Amino acid sequence: MSGFRTRAIHVGNEVDPATGAVVRPVHFASTFQQPGAGEWGSFDYSRSGNPTRSALQETLTSLEDGCGSLAFSSGMAAIHAVTMLLRSGDHVLAGSDMYGGAYRLLHKICKATGITVSMVDMTDLAAVGAGIREDTRLIWVESIGNPRMSIVDLPEIAKLAKQRGVLTGVDNTFGTPVLMRPLQWGIDIVMHSATKYLGGHSDCLGGTLSVADPDLWDRLYFVQNATGAVLDPMTSFLVSRGLKTLDIRVREQSRSAMHLAEWLESLPLVRSVLYPGLKSHPQYALASHLFDQDRPTADKRFGAMITFELNASLEDVKRVCESTKLFHLAVSLGAVESLIEQPATMSHASYAPEDRAKHGITDSLIRLSVGLEDVEDLKADLMSAFESIQRT
Ligand SMILES: *Cc1c(COP(=O)(O)O)cnc(C)c1O
């Protein structure tokens, strides 16, 4: 099999046989002519299948080492499709370091259909084992937790789940298939918000699922076709285009993130830095084992998301978030432009306040999505924001 970058560019992007175009045309057709009544061609109706969406799914399947993928209208639609495999009375065990939208889906939508949900610290394997119940059907975890950047032992969680017949799903949005491929660790479903690194340019919204088991793909395909949250052709094209540069973007952004994380850790104003590439990270050894597997230690990358805490009042933390010029104050992440946000009031505002407190999402946390700008400019931007609160 060829390398990751080669597959990102060539798989699912064969030369168009009709024209010789080196980029596949975008197929906007909603319906397709059939060979005969009751006889079906490769495509019939765009909700059920579309050539541009199929091409994206094919590329992603190759990058995630899976057997099949599905592209959805958003990351949340992709997670929702997974939860639609469940029935009333089923239990979901979810990681406590979890995206705010996934928390809201599980607690506000799934619970209303009779599904029960509990959250556990997934870095504590004994707690995970104890948290699996007779009625547990799904374990949902993030490859890099959000916002506390926790790293979980995916191979061990997959093993625990298999022993108990429980399905596992990993939100790999922060990890990206460049650095982390959960299917190879025995996880059943990998999910992405394609809005983030896969698209990579803050200009489209999408979600994906990839699996290694054809029967599971059939079940998820049935849910998607029956409920209809498919990714449209134009966005499928944009995400496919994003995938071609995914490896180089993620590696370079991660390199800048490592540099910034080390620098932040050296500042007296900074109380703590949560970044899986730092030796001070509680799961650094595990992260080194699971991330960027094929690379020697010196070249390993750990993603481009950093969370840190300031020795400062809530007002000052807010001021820092509002004072940067290059880091835009915005939720979302994973694009070429750097972003800054305050999880407690922004990305994780949908958490119940007591759950925020319980899971360490304090008011003084700041989350950075490190983009592709010159790292020295990013550092200067943060420095001047820090100076703005130190002067007063
Ligand atoms: C953004 C995000 C989602 C949700 O994806 P949307 O495309 O916004 O629906 C899910 N998980 C993580 C980790 C995210 O960052």
Side-chain angles (χ1 to χ4, degrees):
M1 193 164 59
S2 37
F4 188 95
R5 286 190 193 178
T6 306
R7 285 180 283 132
I9 291 167
H10 289 285
V11 175
N13 192 32
E14 290 71 26
V15 168
D16 178 36
T19 61
V22 301
V23 176
R24 287 261 191 98
V26 182
H27 289 279
F28 291 105
S30 57
T31 191
F32 299 82
Q33 181 172 265
Q34 301 307 314
E39 291 173 52
W40 301 104
S42 321
F43 295 96
D44 49 76
Y45 184 62
S46 260
R47 169 162 41 73
S48 310
N50 170 281
T52 308
R53 194 164 83 238
S54 291
L56 163 63
Q57 293 172 173
E58 198 186 327
T59 317
L60 190 66
T61 297
S62 172
L63 300 184
E64 284 286 4
D65 296 333
C67 81
S69 299
L70 291 164
F72 292 82
S73 52
S74 72
M76 288 320 305
I79 305 178
H80 189 212
V82 174
T83 66
M84 282 192 270
L85 296 175
L86 308 176
R87 294 286 169 268
S88 175
D90 289 350
H91 170 247
V92 181
L93 188 63
S96 52
D97 201 13
M98 175 165 55
Y99 175 68
Y103 175 96
R104 181 173 53 199
L105 172 72
L106 291 173
H107 288 84
K108 296 277 155 67
I109 305 288
C110 294
K111 273 190 175 169
T113 68
I115 291 166
T116 55
V117 181
S118 50
M119 286 166 81
V120 66
D121 175 0
M122 290 277 173
T123 65
D124 181 349
L125 288 174
V128 178
I132 300 176
R133 314 186 324 206
E134 274 305 305
D135 55 356
T136 305
R137 293 286 173 275
L138 174 69
I139 293 181
W140 189 257
V141 64
E142 300 185 2
S143 59
I144 302 180
N146 181 2
R148 295 195 55 83
M149 305 291 142
S150 57
I151 304 295
V152 301
D153 196 336
L154 294 183
E156 283 304 317
I157 287 188
K159 224 183 280 171
L160 274 174
K162 283 225 159 64
Q163 285 163 1
R164 310 280 289 269
V166 177
L167 203 63
T168 46
V170 167
D171 182 335
N172 196 26
T173 301
F174 280 32
T176 82
V178 174
L179 305 177
M180 164 64 85
R181 287 181 293 280
L183 297 179
Q184 83 178 52
W185 300 116
I187 296 295
D188 297 310
I189 303 172
V190 179
M191 172 265 160
H192 286 280
S193 167
T195 313
K196 317 295 168 54
Y197 291 99
L198 306 191
H201 295 76
S202 303
D203 55 8
C204 64
L205 202 68
T208 65
L209 298 177
S210 301
V211 297
D213 169 17
D215 291 337
L216 183 55
W217 188 87
D218 285 345
R219 287 165 64 202
L220 289 164
Y221 172 78
F222 180 84
V223 167
Q224 187 189 45
N225 189 41
T227 57
V230 296
L231 193 63
D232 68 281
M234 190 62 209
T235 312
S236 297
F237 167 77
L238 286 173
V239 176
S240 285
R241 185 163 74 163
L243 287 182
K244 294 177 189 179
T245 55
L246 180 68
D247 188 273
I248 201 154
R249 282 187 284 110
V250 167
R251 287 194 181 284
E252 194 58 24
Q253 289 174 227
S254 300
R255 195 154 76 123
S256 295
M258 183 74 205
H259 186 81
L260 289 177
E262 284 176 333
W263 170 71
L264 286 168
E265 205 170 37
S266 74
L267 300 178
L269 177 67
V270 175
R271 186 182 303 153
S272 63
V273 181
L274 293 167
Y275 182 70
L278 291 177
K279 294 205 168 63
S280 59
H281 187 281
Q283 292 98 37
Y284 172 73
L286 182 61
S288 306
H289 173 58
L290 296 181
F291 278 75
D292 215 4
Q293 268 237 300
D294 314 325
R295 301 274 169 143
T297 310
D299 295 340
K300 264 189 198 297
R301 301 287 175 246
F302 296 90
M305 298 298 296
I306 304 173
T307 298
F308 65 99
E309 232 173 335
L310 289 180
N311 287 314
S313 68
L314 175 61
E315 280 316 302
D316 280 349
V317 170
K318 278 191 167 162
R319 269 249 292 290
V320 165
C321 292
E322 290 163 0
S323 302
T324 51
K325 303 271 184 317
L326 292 175
F327 283 90
H328 299 310
L329 178 60
V331 293
S332 198
L333 58 116
V336 293
E337 43 286 293
S338 294
L339 302 177
I340 190 167
E341 66 115 7
Q342 188 191 26
T345 59
M346 296 173 74
S347 60
H348 290 70
S350 48
Y351 266 60
E354 61 275 15
D355 275 346
R356 268 207 303 277
K358 198 161 84 196
H359 302 308
I361 307 168
T362 63
D363 290 345
S364 56
L365 286 187
I366 294 177
R367 193 186 76 180
L368 301 178
S369 171
V370 179
L372 209 44
E373 300 92 340
D374 291 284
V375 68
E376 291 306 322
D377 293 334
L378 294 178
K379 202 192 277 187
D381 191 32
L382 288 171
M383 198 64 221
S384 72
F386 295 154
E387 280 163 0
S388 76
I389 63 168
Q390 283 171 321
R391 268 198 304 272
T392 52

